[in-house]
Amino acid sequence: MKKMLSGIKPTGRVTLGNYIGAIKPFVSYQDEYDMYIFIANLHSMTVYIEPKELRKNTKDLIALYIAAGLDPNKVTLFLQSDILEHAQLGWYLGCMVGMGDLARMTQYKDKLAKNESIGAGIFNYPSLMSADILMYDPDFVPVGEDQKQHVELARDVAEKFNRRYSDTFTIPQPLTAKVGGRIMDLQDPTKKMSKSDEAGKGCIYILDDIAVSKKKIMSAVTDSDGIIAFDRTNKPGISNLLEIYSILTDRTIQDIVNQYLGVGYGVFKKDLAEILGQELTTIQERYQEIIKGSYLDDVLLQGATVARNIARKKLAKVERKIGITIKK
Ligand code: AMP
Ligand code: TRP
């Protein structure tokens, strides 16, 4: 069985973009791959979040993964901070990554350009991310477009390490979705739907009031020609809604376009709002069950036990190879 690994940061409330671009695809992969999914809470420290909020985001994120259908008995689901080996391997790999390579990462450059004061964590981010990945030897790393560059850096580090110290790490491949990889803001379909857009009408939150979310679909910005067709450049609004519809129903965009030939946007949006409403209802009901009691603690303990076992062995191997320990 091929291995797959990915992580999501608990930096905010989970959005429809996260659900469609990350959580739902993970659920569909779980039968085909040996999967490792973790909450990237060490990475979330690169932005300040109130401790109380961080705790809630983290708990909600795990609960939502499971509510969305991820089976903790099939998938190793864990908290990054539970596995101390990530930070340690991150240090070793960080010593092998060039400053120049880190400085050309788009995420870092974007943050720098905003002129806010930023911590060193955002610069070193890809070293830690390389450790997260290489620790478990995954064949594939499903990520959004914006994270592809970091996975490519992890590949380069793995190759460099393997060349210098002999074969140690599997070279991972980033996996980006063709449909649903970039769900756009409902009010401004030229910009990505993002959890940093807290107040906006353009972002749907999975745990929000369902009537509010349906309204956001109904008032999504489209265009004035009234034709339901897929054209990301000229009709970004309706194309975005078509993508959402396609992922939620597991139908092709073409099939949906054919169904709505000659029908107005209003009818299409109403149907989509209904479909979304049903999906959110199911998730929220399951979420309410999961969030009670100590179930999540048990899941994380089980996940950490599996992950730690792999991480310990891998780190020991790395330390033997680099000569940092006196044991051979
Ligand atoms: P973030 O919310 O940026 O931490 O991203 C967590 C995961 O959700 C990553 O795999 C992202 O690529 C994915 N994701 C975030 N926003 C969107 C979006 N608007 N469309 C599709 N995927 C997204
Ligand atoms: N940087 C990723 C994001 O912002 C989260 C992440 C951390 C990750 N470590 C990872 C994703 C390892 C895949 C593999 O979305």
Side-chain angles (χ1 to χ4, degrees), residues 5-9 38 40 43 80 107 125 129 132-133 141-143 147 150:
L5 169 138
S6 196
I8 305 194
K9 284 181 303 204
F38 65 95
H43 282 98
Q80 186 185 25
Q107 179 177 283
Y125 191 109
M129 184 158 160
D132 300 338
I133 298 171
V141 181
V143 281
Q147 294 297 320
H150 294 158

Side-chain angles (χ1 to χ4, degrees), residues 81-133:
S81 62
D82 277 345
I83 314 298
L84 304 182
E85 284 78 2
H86 284 232
Q88 180 109 352
L89 182 60
W91 171 257
Y92 297 139
L93 299 180
C95 291
M96 293 181 63
V97 180
M99 294 278 282
D101 289 328
L102 292 175
R104 63 178 178 76
M105 294 291 114
T106 307
Q107 179 177 283
Y108 165 69
K109 285 198 293 189
D110 286 353
K111 287 263 164 43
L112 199 64
K114 281 190 185 151
N115 261 334
E116 293 159 9
S117 81
I118 51 173
I122 200 74
F123 184 70
N124 288 321
Y125 191 109
S127 310
L128 179 60
M129 184 158 160
S130 297
D132 300 338
I133 298 171

Side-chain angles (χ1 to χ4, degrees), residues 179-215:
V179 176
R182 201 172 158 79
I183 297 301
M184 308 310 270
D185 186 283
L186 299 174
Q187 288 301 310
D188 177 2
T190 59
K191 116 181 175 213
K192 191 177 128 175
M193 184 185 283
S194 162
K195 51 192 166 196
S196 49
D197 173 41
E198 280 292 333
K201 283 202 303 180
C203 182
I204 288 178
Y205 298 98
I206 300 300
L207 288 174
D208 245 10
D209 185 86
I210 292 170
V212 170
S213 297
K214 283 175 148 180
K215 262 198 209 123

